[in-house]
Amino acid sequence: MAALSDTIAAEVASPVPDLLLSGDGVSLEYYDVGPRDGQVVLCLHGLLDSCYHWGQDAHVTGPLVTLGFRVVAASCRGHGGSSKLYDPAMYGNKLVEDQLRLLDALKVDKVHLVGYSMGAEIAIALTVRHPGRVRSLCVCCSGWTESTKPYEDAIFYLKCMKMFWYPCCCPCVCLLAMRCLGSAAPVFDVGAGIALTRSMGALIPIEEDAMKAIAVPVCGIAAEKDPEKVSLERMEGIVPNFTLTVLPKAGHEDAPKHPLYQKTIIEHLQNCMSCI
């Protein structure tokens, strides 16, 4: 691995987010670290998380930059420091469009995509709809999802939180818990989370023919105890050039802490550095 310059090392250790104003007036928080001439890895976080997932939780940003990659990660609308919206019509396909606007603003043509949970579903939608923008794909803890049931289940719990805790106690409790776990991510907005979950039917499911047409190398990472594991197993035999790694004894939430999680992502991207 190449040694990081002092400037890049400081950026990776404490990335200072920028804001991008999207076409519909929504501001997106993102960070962009690493060598300007490096191949770009676009990282997409999960529901109720933020761009900080990739540095603070998954710990992949630093190692990727050390390998010469440029890492870009945005907080999806409704998350982190990005605009909070309460109309489901402001999410759905706009979650994909935001990533394209970000790449265009940064003058980036092609990227390696890495997505966790909801981010994996956004990454798949981006890949099948805009194949010319993607070098490779890595999907973690979600994949070719058949239905929106996980999001429907999430709405129930989010409504309970909003009714009984939010807005008085919930942010303080969540902030304390997240800080104890070492995360720098801002507290999520429950109302925005509910609106987003109601919009996911616009992204999933995806037709089988579209999955079969994916032409880039695809890496899947499934947690052994995760109900979403089946959505990754569905991709075997359908998606060409697909490999699946299962994280032993891991569940959906703790998968990013599993040592194989980081290792698999990094090895996949190293193998794809020559992808056109």
Side-chain angles (χ1 to χ4, degrees):
M1 293 185 182
L4 291 179
S5 70
D6 291 341
T7 301
I8 292 177
E11 284 181 351
V12 172
S14 300
V16 177
D18 290 313
L19 287 177
L20 170 74
L21 191 65
S22 71
D24 52 5
V26 173
S27 60
L28 296 175
E29 170 192 51
Y30 73 95
Y31 65 78
D32 174 9
V33 296
R36 299 299 91 180
D37 59 349
Q39 292 185 18
V40 178
V41 181
L42 177 63
C43 298
L44 304 169
H45 64 79
L47 181 67
L48 305 180
D49 206 334
S50 77
C51 60
Y52 292 99
H53 169 87
W54 301 103
Q56 296 288 334
D57 300 328
H59 301 292
V60 298
T61 301
L64 288 176
V65 170
T66 303
L67 287 168
F69 288 101
R70 176 181 171 187
V71 180
V72 176
S75 296
C76 294
R77 55 176 64 202
H79 294 75
S82 297
S83 295
K84 307 301 187 297
L85 310 155
Y86 305 101
D87 179 0
M90 294 299 291
Y91 294 96
N93 291 320
K94 293 180 183 295
L95 295 168
V96 173
E97 293 167 5
D98 284 341
Q99 305 304 320
L100 294 173
R101 288 195 189 100
L102 176 58
L103 296 181
D104 289 343
L106 297 176
K107 296 180 170 55
V108 173
D109 182 29
K110 284 192 170 188
V111 296
H112 301 278
L113 284 176
V114 180
Y116 167 74
S117 192
M118 176 191 77
E121 292 152 13
I122 297 172
I124 289 175
L126 196 159
T127 301
V128 300
R129 296 175 188 178
H130 305 276
R133 305 299 296 268
V134 181
R135 292 179 183 270
S136 72
L137 173 64
C138 181
V139 287
C140 315
C141 297
S142 189
W144 185 25
T145 305
E146 285 188 276
S147 73
T148 58
K149 187 178 185 305
Y151 292 98
E152 292 163 8
D153 293 342
I155 288 175
F156 171 77
Y157 293 109
L158 287 168
K159 283 183 175 179
C160 289
M161 290 176 67
K162 188 173 184 180
M163 182 181 301
F164 295 108
W165 285 17
Y166 192 82
C168 298
C169 302
C170 184
C172 298
V173 172
C174 290
L175 179 60
L176 177 61
M178 292 169 76
R179 293 296 180 266
C180 289
L181 291 171
S183 175
V187 175
F188 57 79
D189 186 298
V190 174
I194 291 173
L196 183 147
T197 53
R198 286 175 169 160
S199 78
M200 291 303 288
L203 290 182
I204 51 179
I206 290 173
E207 295 294 329
E208 182 174 321
D209 286 346
M211 298 299 291
K212 287 180 176 179
I214 294 176
V216 297
V218 183
C219 169
I221 301 176
E224 183 180 28
K225 298 180 179 179
D226 186 359
E228 286 292 307
K229 178 169 171 276
V230 65
S231 70
L232 286 145
E233 292 172 334
R234 285 183 73 217
M235 297 170 70
E236 293 184 296
I238 299 294
V239 178
N241 204 7
F242 175 75
T243 59
L244 178 62
T245 297
V246 177
L247 310 180
K249 300 180 181 179
H252 188 88
E253 300 299 332
D254 62 351
K257 302 292 186 182
H258 196 286
L260 265 182
Y261 185 88
Q262 181 199 70
K263 181 175 183 288
T264 304
I265 292 173
I266 291 171
E267 288 182 352
H268 163 73
L269 289 168
Q270 280 184 293
N271 293 334
C272 293
M273 286 190 87
S274 61
C275 295
I276 298 174

mmCIF file with all atom_site columns, all heavy atoms in Angstrom, residues 223-246:
data_model
loop_
_atom_site.group_PDB
_atom_site.id
_atom_site.type_symbol
_atom_site.label_atom_id
_atom_site.label_alt_id
_atom_site.label_comp_id
_atom_site.label_asym_id
_atom_site.label_entity_id
_atom_site.label_seq_id
_atom_site.pdbx_PDB_ins_code
_atom_site.Cartn_x
_atom_site.Cartn_y
_atom_site.Cartn_z
_atom_site.occupancy
_atom_site.B_iso_or_equiv
_atom_site.pdbx_formal_charge
_atom_site.auth_seq_id
_atom_site.auth_comp_id
_atom_site.auth_asym_id
_atom_site.auth_atom_id
_atom_site.pdbx_PDB_model_num
ATOM 1   N N   . ALA A 1 223 ? -24.875 -11.429 5.605   1.00 0.00 ? 223 ALA A N   1
ATOM 2   C CA  . ALA A 1 223 ? -24.674 -11.853 6.987   1.00 0.00 ? 223 ALA A CA  1
ATOM 3   C C   . ALA A 1 223 ? -25.460 -13.148 7.217   1.00 0.00 ? 223 ALA A C   1
ATOM 4   O O   . ALA A 1 223 ? -26.619 -13.265 6.802   1.00 0.00 ? 223 ALA A O   1
ATOM 5   C CB  . ALA A 1 223 ? -25.149 -10.769 7.948   1.00 0.00 ? 223 ALA A CB  1
ATOM 6   N N   . GLU A 1 224 ? -24.841 -14.100 7.860   1.00 0.00 ? 224 GLU A N   1
ATOM 7   C CA  . GLU A 1 224 ? -25.428 -15.431 8.020   1.00 0.00 ? 224 GLU A CA  1
ATOM 8   C C   . GLU A 1 224 ? -26.801 -15.393 8.687   1.00 0.00 ? 224 GLU A C   1
ATOM 9   O O   . GLU A 1 224 ? -27.698 -16.149 8.320   1.00 0.00 ? 224 GLU A O   1
ATOM 10  C CB  . GLU A 1 224 ? -24.480 -16.307 8.843   1.00 0.00 ? 224 GLU A CB  1
ATOM 11  C CG  . GLU A 1 224 ? -24.956 -17.740 9.019   1.00 0.00 ? 224 GLU A CG  1
ATOM 12  C CD  . GLU A 1 224 ? -23.991 -18.580 9.849   1.00 0.00 ? 224 GLU A CD  1
ATOM 13  O OE1 . GLU A 1 224 ? -23.276 -18.018 10.702  1.00 0.00 ? 224 GLU A OE1 1
ATOM 14  O OE2 . GLU A 1 224 ? -23.957 -19.806 9.649   1.00 0.00 ? 224 GLU A OE2 1
ATOM 15  N N   . LYS A 1 225 ? -27.000 -14.498 9.662   1.00 0.00 ? 225 LYS A N   1
ATOM 16  C CA  . LYS A 1 225 ? -28.242 -14.457 10.425  1.00 0.00 ? 225 LYS A CA  1
ATOM 17  C C   . LYS A 1 225 ? -29.187 -13.359 9.955   1.00 0.00 ? 225 LYS A C   1
ATOM 18  O O   . LYS A 1 225 ? -30.165 -13.043 10.637  1.00 0.00 ? 225 LYS A O   1
ATOM 19  C CB  . LYS A 1 225 ? -27.928 -14.254 11.913  1.00 0.00 ? 225 LYS A CB  1
ATOM 20  C CG  . LYS A 1 225 ? -27.106 -15.384 12.518  1.00 0.00 ? 225 LYS A CG  1
ATOM 21  C CD  . LYS A 1 225 ? -26.821 -15.120 13.984  1.00 0.00 ? 225 LYS A CD  1
ATOM 22  C CE  . LYS A 1 225 ? -26.012 -16.256 14.595  1.00 0.00 ? 225 LYS A CE  1
ATOM 23  N NZ  . LYS A 1 225 ? -25.714 -16.001 16.037  1.00 0.00 ? 225 LYS A NZ  1
ATOM 24  N N   . ASP A 1 226 ? -28.932 -12.802 8.807   1.00 0.00 ? 226 ASP A N   1
ATOM 25  C CA  . ASP A 1 226 ? -29.716 -11.682 8.279   1.00 0.00 ? 226 ASP A CA  1
ATOM 26  C C   . ASP A 1 226 ? -30.849 -12.192 7.396   1.00 0.00 ? 226 ASP A C   1
ATOM 27  O O   . ASP A 1 226 ? -30.601 -12.938 6.429   1.00 0.00 ? 226 ASP A O   1
ATOM 28  C CB  . ASP A 1 226 ? -28.786 -10.775 7.468   1.00 0.00 ? 226 ASP A CB  1
ATOM 29  C CG  . ASP A 1 226 ? -29.464 -9.504  6.990   1.00 0.00 ? 226 ASP A CG  1
ATOM 30  O OD1 . ASP A 1 226 ? -30.663 -9.309  7.255   1.00 0.00 ? 226 ASP A OD1 1
ATOM 31  O OD2 . ASP A 1 226 ? -28.783 -8.690  6.331   1.00 0.00 ? 226 ASP A OD2 1
ATOM 32  N N   . PRO A 1 227 ? -32.101 -11.819 7.673   1.00 0.00 ? 227 PRO A N   1
ATOM 33  C CA  . PRO A 1 227 ? -33.203 -12.202 6.772   1.00 0.00 ? 227 PRO A CA  1
ATOM 34  C C   . PRO A 1 227 ? -32.986 -11.735 5.339   1.00 0.00 ? 227 PRO A C   1
ATOM 35  O O   . PRO A 1 227 ? -33.522 -12.334 4.402   1.00 0.00 ? 227 PRO A O   1
ATOM 36  C CB  . PRO A 1 227 ? -34.432 -11.511 7.398   1.00 0.00 ? 227 PRO A CB  1
ATOM 37  C CG  . PRO A 1 227 ? -34.062 -11.304 8.831   1.00 0.00 ? 227 PRO A CG  1
ATOM 38  C CD  . PRO A 1 227 ? -32.581 -11.072 8.840   1.00 0.00 ? 227 PRO A CD  1
ATOM 39  N N   . GLU A 1 228 ? -32.219 -10.664 5.145   1.00 0.00 ? 228 GLU A N   1
ATOM 40  C CA  . GLU A 1 228 ? -31.949 -10.150 3.810   1.00 0.00 ? 228 GLU A CA  1
ATOM 41  C C   . GLU A 1 228 ? -30.976 -11.034 3.022   1.00 0.00 ? 228 GLU A C   1
ATOM 42  O O   . GLU A 1 228 ? -30.750 -10.804 1.832   1.00 0.00 ? 228 GLU A O   1
ATOM 43  C CB  . GLU A 1 228 ? -31.379 -8.736  3.901   1.00 0.00 ? 228 GLU A CB  1
ATOM 44  C CG  . GLU A 1 228 ? -32.406 -7.681  4.266   1.00 0.00 ? 228 GLU A CG  1
ATOM 45  C CD  . GLU A 1 228 ? -33.424 -7.472  3.166   1.00 0.00 ? 228 GLU A CD  1
ATOM 46  O OE1 . GLU A 1 228 ? -33.033 -7.225  2.012   1.00 0.00 ? 228 GLU A OE1 1
ATOM 47  O OE2 . GLU A 1 228 ? -34.615 -7.576  3.461   1.00 0.00 ? 228 GLU A OE2 1
ATOM 48  N N   . LYS A 1 229 ? -30.414 -12.047 3.669   1.00 0.00 ? 229 LYS A N   1
ATOM 49  C CA  . LYS A 1 229 ? -29.471 -12.951 2.998   1.00 0.00 ? 229 LYS A CA  1
ATOM 50  C C   . LYS A 1 229 ? -30.094 -13.574 1.750   1.00 0.00 ? 229 LYS A C   1
ATOM 51  O O   . LYS A 1 229 ? -29.434 -13.772 0.729   1.00 0.00 ? 229 LYS A O   1
ATOM 52  C CB  . LYS A 1 229 ? -29.045 -14.042 3.986   1.00 0.00 ? 229 LYS A CB  1
ATOM 53  C CG  . LYS A 1 229 ? -28.090 -15.089 3.431   1.00 0.00 ? 229 LYS A CG  1
ATOM 54  C CD  . LYS A 1 229 ? -27.552 -15.933 4.612   1.00 0.00 ? 229 LYS A CD  1
ATOM 55  C CE  . LYS A 1 229 ? -26.771 -17.142 4.149   1.00 0.00 ? 229 LYS A CE  1
ATOM 56  N NZ  . LYS A 1 229 ? -27.634 -18.278 3.840   1.00 0.00 ? 229 LYS A NZ  1
ATOM 57  N N   . VAL A 1 230 ? -31.387 -13.847 1.802   1.00 0.00 ? 230 VAL A N   1
ATOM 58  C CA  . VAL A 1 230 ? -32.063 -14.487 0.671   1.00 0.00 ? 230 VAL A CA  1
ATOM 59  C C   . VAL A 1 230 ? -32.042 -13.596 -0.571  1.00 0.00 ? 230 VAL A C   1
ATOM 60  O O   . VAL A 1 230 ? -31.996 -14.093 -1.706  1.00 0.00 ? 230 VAL A O   1
ATOM 61  C CB  . VAL A 1 230 ? -33.520 -14.857 1.050   1.00 0.00 ? 230 VAL A CB  1
ATOM 62  C CG1 . VAL A 1 230 ? -34.367 -13.622 1.312   1.00 0.00 ? 230 VAL A CG1 1
ATOM 63  C CG2 . VAL A 1 230 ? -34.166 -15.713 -0.024  1.00 0.00 ? 230 VAL A CG2 1
ATOM 64  N N   . SER A 1 231 ? -32.048 -12.271 -0.380  1.00 0.00 ? 231 SER A N   1
ATOM 65  C CA  . SER A 1 231 ? -32.052 -11.366 -1.533  1.00 0.00 ? 231 SER A CA  1
ATOM 66  C C   . SER A 1 231 ? -30.711 -11.386 -2.261  1.00 0.00 ? 231 SER A C   1
ATOM 67  O O   . SER A 1 231 ? -30.645 -11.063 -3.451  1.00 0.00 ? 231 SER A O   1
ATOM 68  C CB  . SER A 1 231 ? -32.386 -9.939  -1.081  1.00 0.00 ? 231 SER A CB  1
ATOM 69  O OG  . SER A 1 231 ? -31.338 -9.379  -0.326  1.00 0.00 ? 231 SER A OG  1
ATOM 70  N N   . LEU A 1 232 ? -29.659 -11.776 -1.566  1.00 0.00 ? 232 LEU A N   1
ATOM 71  C CA  . LEU A 1 232 ? -28.351 -11.923 -2.208  1.00 0.00 ? 232 LEU A CA  1
ATOM 72  C C   . LEU A 1 232 ? -28.219 -13.300 -2.836  1.00 0.00 ? 232 LEU A C   1
ATOM 73  O O   . LEU A 1 232 ? -27.654 -13.445 -3.928  1.00 0.00 ? 232 LEU A O   1
ATOM 74  C CB  . LEU A 1 232 ? -27.247 -11.684 -1.186  1.00 0.00 ? 232 LEU A CB  1
ATOM 75  C CG  . LEU A 1 232 ? -27.090 -10.201 -0.809  1.00 0.00 ? 232 LEU A CG  1
ATOM 76  C CD1 . LEU A 1 232 ? -26.698 -10.032 0.643   1.00 0.00 ? 232 LEU A CD1 1
ATOM 77  C CD2 . LEU A 1 232 ? -26.078 -9.526  -1.712  1.00 0.00 ? 232 LEU A CD2 1
ATOM 78  N N   . GLU A 1 233 ? -28.759 -14.306 -2.186  1.00 0.00 ? 233 GLU A N   1
ATOM 79  C CA  . GLU A 1 233 ? -28.719 -15.657 -2.749  1.00 0.00 ? 233 GLU A CA  1
ATOM 80  C C   . GLU A 1 233 ? -29.519 -15.730 -4.047  1.00 0.00 ? 233 GLU A C   1
ATOM 81  O O   . GLU A 1 233 ? -29.185 -16.525 -4.935  1.00 0.00 ? 233 GLU A O   1
ATOM 82  C CB  . GLU A 1 233 ? -29.258 -16.662 -1.728  1.00 0.00 ? 233 GLU A CB  1
ATOM 83  C CG  . GLU A 1 233 ? -28.351 -16.828 -0.517  1.00 0.00 ? 233 GLU A CG  1
ATOM 84  C CD  . GLU A 1 233 ? -28.971 -17.668 0.582   1.00 0.00 ? 233 GLU A CD  1
ATOM 85  O OE1 . GLU A 1 233 ? -30.220 -17.723 0.668   1.00 0.00 ? 233 GLU A OE1 1
ATOM 86  O OE2 . GLU A 1 233 ? -28.212 -18.259 1.374   1.00 0.00 ? 233 GLU A OE2 1
ATOM 87  N N   . ARG A 1 234 ? -30.553 -14.905 -4.190  1.00 0.00 ? 234 ARG A N   1
ATOM 88  C CA  . ARG A 1 234 ? -31.349 -14.868 -5.418  1.00 0.00 ? 234 ARG A CA  1
ATOM 89  C C   . ARG A 1 234 ? -30.517 -14.453 -6.624  1.00 0.00 ? 234 ARG A C   1
ATOM 90  O O   . ARG A 1 234 ? -30.857 -14.763 -7.770  1.00 0.00 ? 234 ARG A O   1
ATOM 91  C CB  . ARG A 1 234 ? -32.511 -13.877 -5.298  1.00 0.00 ? 234 ARG A CB  1
ATOM 92  C CG  . ARG A 1 234 ? -33.676 -14.311 -4.452  1.00 0.00 ? 234 ARG A CG  1
ATOM 93  C CD  . ARG A 1 234 ? -34.765 -13.250 -4.501  1.00 0.00 ? 234 ARG A CD  1
ATOM 94  N NE  . ARG A 1 234 ? -35.455 -13.239 -5.769  1.00 0.00 ? 234 ARG A NE  1
ATOM 95  C CZ  . ARG A 1 234 ? -35.888 -12.143 -6.390  1.00 0.00 ? 234 ARG A CZ  1
ATOM 96  N NH1 . ARG A 1 234 ? -35.655 -10.956 -5.870  1.00 0.00 ? 234 ARG A NH1 1
ATOM 97  N NH2 . ARG A 1 234 ? -36.529 -12.220 -7.544  1.00 0.00 ? 234 ARG A NH2 1
ATOM 98  N N   . MET A 1 235 ? -29.444 -13.717 -6.382  1.00 0.00 ? 235 MET A N   1
ATOM 99  C CA  . MET A 1 235 ? -28.625 -13.197 -7.469  1.00 0.00 ? 235 MET A CA  1
ATOM 100 C C   . MET A 1 235 ? -27.727 -14.267 -8.084  1.00 0.00 ? 235 MET A C   1
ATOM 101 O O   . MET A 1 235 ? -27.274 -14.122 -9.221  1.00 0.00 ? 235 MET A O   1
ATOM 102 C CB  . MET A 1 235 ? -27.786 -12.020 -6.966  1.00 0.00 ? 235 MET A CB  1
ATOM 103 C CG  . MET A 1 235 ? -28.640 -10.833 -6.507  1.00 0.00 ? 235 MET A CG  1
ATOM 104 S SD  . MET A 1 235 ? -27.693 -9.524  -5.644  1.00 0.00 ? 235 MET A SD  1
ATOM 105 C CE  . MET A 1 235 ? -26.756 -8.846  -7.011  1.00 0.00 ? 235 MET A CE  1
ATOM 106 N N   . GLU A 1 236 ? -27.480 -15.344 -7.346  1.00 0.00 ? 236 GLU A N   1
ATOM 107 C CA  . GLU A 1 236 ? -26.629 -16.415 -7.850  1.00 0.00 ? 236 GLU A CA  1
ATOM 108 C C   . GLU A 1 236 ? -27.320 -17.117 -9.016  1.00 0.00 ? 236 GLU A C   1
ATOM 109 O O   . GLU A 1 236 ? -28.499 -17.462 -8.950  1.00 0.00 ? 236 GLU A O   1
ATOM 110 C CB  . GLU A 1 236 ? -26.330 -17.423 -6.736  1.00 0.00 ? 236 GLU A CB  1
ATOM 111 C CG  . GLU A 1 236 ? -25.464 -16.854 -5.625  1.00 0.00 ? 236 GLU A CG  1
ATOM 112 C CD  . GLU A 1 236 ? -25.093 -17.894 -4.588  1.00 0.00 ? 236 GLU A CD  1
ATOM 113 O OE1 . GLU A 1 236 ? -26.015 -18.403 -3.916  1.00 0.00 ? 236 GLU A OE1 1
ATOM 114 O OE2 . GLU A 1 236 ? -23.904 -18.192 -4.434  1.00 0.00 ? 236 GLU A OE2 1
ATOM 115 N N   . GLY A 1 237 ? -26.607 -17.291 -10.100 1.00 0.00 ? 237 GLY A N   1
ATOM 116 C CA  . GLY A 1 237 ? -27.162 -17.922 -11.288 1.00 0.00 ? 237 GLY A CA  1
ATOM 117 C C   . GLY A 1 237 ? -27.958 -16.981 -12.163 1.00 0.00 ? 237 GLY A C   1
ATOM 118 O O   . GLY A 1 237 ? -28.375 -17.353 -13.263 1.00 0.00 ? 237 GLY A O   1
ATOM 119 N N   . ILE A 1 238 ? -28.205 -15.755 -11.686 1.00 0.00 ? 238 ILE A N   1
ATOM 120 C CA  . ILE A 1 238 ? -28.939 -14.750 -12.459 1.00 0.00 ? 238 ILE A CA  1
ATOM 121 C C   . ILE A 1 238 ? -28.010 -13.642 -12.924 1.00 0.00 ? 238 ILE A C   1
ATOM 122 O O   . ILE A 1 238 ? -27.972 -13.284 -14.101 1.00 0.00 ? 238 ILE A O   1
ATOM 123 C CB  . ILE A 1 238 ? -30.098 -14.154 -11.620 1.00 0.00 ? 238 ILE A CB  1
ATOM 124 C CG1 . ILE A 1 238 ? -31.098 -15.250 -11.236 1.00 0.00 ? 238 ILE A CG1 1
ATOM 125 C CG2 . ILE A 1 238 ? -30.785 -13.034 -12.388 1.00 0.00 ? 238 ILE A CG2 1
ATOM 126 C CD1 . ILE A 1 238 ? -31.850 -15.853 -12.404 1.00 0.00 ? 238 ILE A CD1 1
ATOM 127 N N   . VAL A 1 239 ? -27.250 -13.094 -11.984 1.00 0.00 ? 239 VAL A N   1
ATOM 128 C CA  . VAL A 1 239 ? -26.320 -12.001 -12.301 1.00 0.00 ? 239 VAL A CA  1
ATOM 129 C C   . VAL A 1 239 ? -24.990 -12.592 -12.761 1.00 0.00 ? 239 VAL A C   1
ATOM 130 O O   . VAL A 1 239 ? -24.356 -13.345 -12.017 1.00 0.00 ? 239 VAL A O   1
ATOM 131 C CB  . VAL A 1 239 ? -26.105 -11.096 -11.071 1.00 0.00 ? 239 VAL A CB  1
ATOM 132 C CG1 . VAL A 1 239 ? -25.099 -9.995  -11.382 1.00 0.00 ? 239 VAL A CG1 1
ATOM 133 C CG2 . VAL A 1 239 ? -27.434 -10.502 -10.615 1.00 0.00 ? 239 VAL A CG2 1
ATOM 134 N N   . PRO A 1 240 ? -24.552 -12.277 -13.959 1.00 0.00 ? 240 PRO A N   1
ATOM 135 C CA  . PRO A 1 240 ? -23.259 -12.790 -14.432 1.00 0.00 ? 240 PRO A CA  1
ATOM 136 C C   . PRO A 1 240 ? -22.111 -12.256 -13.574 1.00 0.00 ? 240 PRO A C   1
ATOM 137 O O   . PRO A 1 240 ? -22.197 -11.171 -12.995 1.00 0.00 ? 240 PRO A O   1
ATOM 138 C CB  . PRO A 1 240 ? -23.170 -12.243 -15.867 1.00 0.00 ? 240 PRO A CB  1
ATOM 139 C CG  . PRO A 1 240 ? -24.564 -11.845 -16.230 1.00 0.00 ? 240 PRO A CG  1
ATOM 140 C CD  . PRO A 1 240 ? -25.227 -11.436 -14.958 1.00 0.00 ? 240 PRO A CD  1
ATOM 141 N N   . ASN A 1 241 ? -21.042 -13.032 -13.493 1.00 0.00 ? 241 ASN A N   1
ATOM 142 C CA  . ASN A 1 241 ? -19.839 -12.586 -12.780 1.00 0.00 ? 241 ASN A CA  1
ATOM 143 C C   . ASN A 1 241 ? -20.152 -12.148 -11.357 1.00 0.00 ? 241 ASN A C   1
ATOM 144 O O   . ASN A 1 241 ? -19.665 -11.105 -10.882 1.00 0.00 ? 241 ASN A O   1
ATOM 145 C CB  . ASN A 1 241 ? -19.156 -11.449 -13.551 1.00 0.00 ? 241 ASN A CB  1
ATOM 146 C CG  . ASN A 1 241 ? -17.678 -11.326 -13.229 1.00 0.00 ? 241 ASN A CG  1
ATOM 147 O OD1 . ASN A 1 241 ? -17.106 -12.155 -12.533 1.00 0.00 ? 241 ASN A OD1 1
ATOM 148 N ND2 . ASN A 1 241 ? -17.077 -10.265 -13.722 1.00 0.00 ? 241 ASN A ND2 1
ATOM 149 N N   . PHE A 1 242 ? -20.973 -12.942 -10.664 1.00 0.00 ? 242 PHE A N   1
ATOM 150 C CA  . PHE A 1 242 ? -21.387 -12.637 -9.294  1.00 0.00 ? 242 PHE A CA  1
ATOM 151 C C   . PHE A 1 242 ? -20.710 -13.584 -8.313  1.00 0.00 ? 242 PHE A C   1
ATOM 152 O O   . PHE A 1 242 ? -20.680 -14.795 -8.519  1.00 0.00 ? 242 PHE A O   1
ATOM 153 C CB  . PHE A 1 242 ? -22.904 -12.767 -9.157  1.00 0.00 ? 242 PHE A CB  1
ATOM 154 C CG  . PHE A 1 242 ? -23.414 -12.590 -7.746  1.00 0.00 ? 242 PHE A CG  1
ATOM 155 C CD1 . PHE A 1 242 ? -23.480 -11.329 -7.174  1.00 0.00 ? 242 PHE A CD1 1
ATOM 156 C CD2 . PHE A 1 242 ? -23.834 -13.685 -6.998  1.00 0.00 ? 242 PHE A CD2 1
ATOM 157 C CE1 . PHE A 1 242 ? -23.958 -11.160 -5.883  1.00 0.00 ? 242 PHE A CE1 1
ATOM 158 C CE2 . PHE A 1 242 ? -24.307 -13.524 -5.709  1.00 0.00 ? 242 PHE A CE2 1
ATOM 159 C CZ  . PHE A 1 242 ? -24.380 -12.251 -5.148  1.00 0.00 ? 242 PHE A CZ  1
ATOM 160 N N   . THR A 1 243 ? -20.155 -13.035 -7.243  1.00 0.00 ? 243 THR A N   1
ATOM 161 C CA  . THR A 1 243 ? -19.592 -13.844 -6.164  1.00 0.00 ? 243 THR A CA  1
ATOM 162 C C   . THR A 1 243 ? -20.264 -13.454 -4.855  1.00 0.00 ? 243 THR A C   1
ATOM 163 O O   . THR A 1 243 ? -20.595 -12.276 -4.644  1.00 0.00 ? 243 THR A O   1
ATOM 164 C CB  . THR A 1 243 ? -18.074 -13.636 -6.033  1.00 0.00 ? 243 THR A CB  1
ATOM 165 O OG1 . THR A 1 243 ? -17.796 -12.264 -5.767  1.00 0.00 ? 243 THR A OG1 1
ATOM 166 C CG2 . THR A 1 243 ? -17.354 -14.068 -7.310  1.00 0.00 ? 243 THR A CG2 1
ATOM 167 N N   . LEU A 1 244 ? -20.469 -14.423 -3.981  1.00 0.00 ? 244 LEU A N   1
ATOM 168 C CA  . LEU A 1 244 ? -21.147 -14.179 -2.704  1.00 0.00 ? 244 LEU A CA  1
ATOM 169 C C   . LEU A 1 244 ? -20.266 -14.616 -1.550  1.00 0.00 ? 244 LEU A C   1
ATOM 170 O O   . LEU A 1 244 ? -19.751 -15.736 -1.527  1.00 0.00 ? 244 LEU A O   1
ATOM 171 C CB  . LEU A 1 244 ? -22.478 -14.929 -2.654  1.00 0.00 ? 244 LEU A CB  1
ATOM 172 C CG  . LEU A 1 244 ? -23.280 -14.794 -1.345  1.00 0.00 ? 244 LEU A CG  1
ATOM 173 C CD1 . LEU A 1 244 ? -23.677 -13.334 -1.105  1.00 0.00 ? 244 LEU A CD1 1
ATOM 174 C CD2 . LEU A 1 244 ? -24.521 -15.679 -1.384  1.00 0.00 ? 244 LEU A CD2 1
ATOM 175 N N   . THR A 1 245 ? -20.093 -13.723 -0.584  1.00 0.00 ? 245 THR A N   1
ATOM 176 C CA  . THR A 1 245 ? -19.387 -14.025 0.654   1.00 0.00 ? 245 THR A CA  1
ATOM 177 C C   . THR A 1 245 ? -20.378 -13.943 1.811   1.00 0.00 ? 245 THR A C   1
ATOM 178 O O   . THR A 1 245 ? -21.123 -12.954 1.920   1.00 0.00 ? 245 THR A O   1
ATOM 179 C CB  . THR A 1 245 ? -18.238 -13.019 0.898   1.00 0.00 ? 245 THR A CB  1
ATOM 180 O OG1 . THR A 1 245 ? -17.291 -13.140 -0.161  1.00 0.00 ? 245 THR A OG1 1
ATOM 181 C CG2 . THR A 1 245 ? -17.551 -13.288 2.225   1.00 0.00 ? 245 THR A CG2 1
ATOM 182 N N   . VAL A 1 246 ? -20.403 -14.957 2.655   1.00 0.00 ? 246 VAL A N   1
ATOM 183 C CA  . VAL A 1 246 ? -21.294 -14.983 3.819   1.00 0.00 ? 246 VAL A CA  1
ATOM 184 C C   . VAL A 1 246 ? -20.465 -14.738 5.082   1.00 0.00 ? 246 VAL A C   1
ATOM 185 O O   . VAL A 1 246 ? -19.436 -15.379 5.295   1.00 0.00 ? 246 VAL A O   1
ATOM 186 C CB  . VAL A 1 246 ? -22.040 -16.328 3.923   1.00 0.00 ? 246 VAL A CB  1
ATOM 187 C CG1 . VAL A 1 246 ? -22.914 -16.359 5.177   1.00 0.00 ? 246 VAL A CG1 1
ATOM 188 C CG2 . VAL A 1 246 ? -22.891 -16.552 2.673   1.00 0.00 ? 246 VAL A CG2 1
#
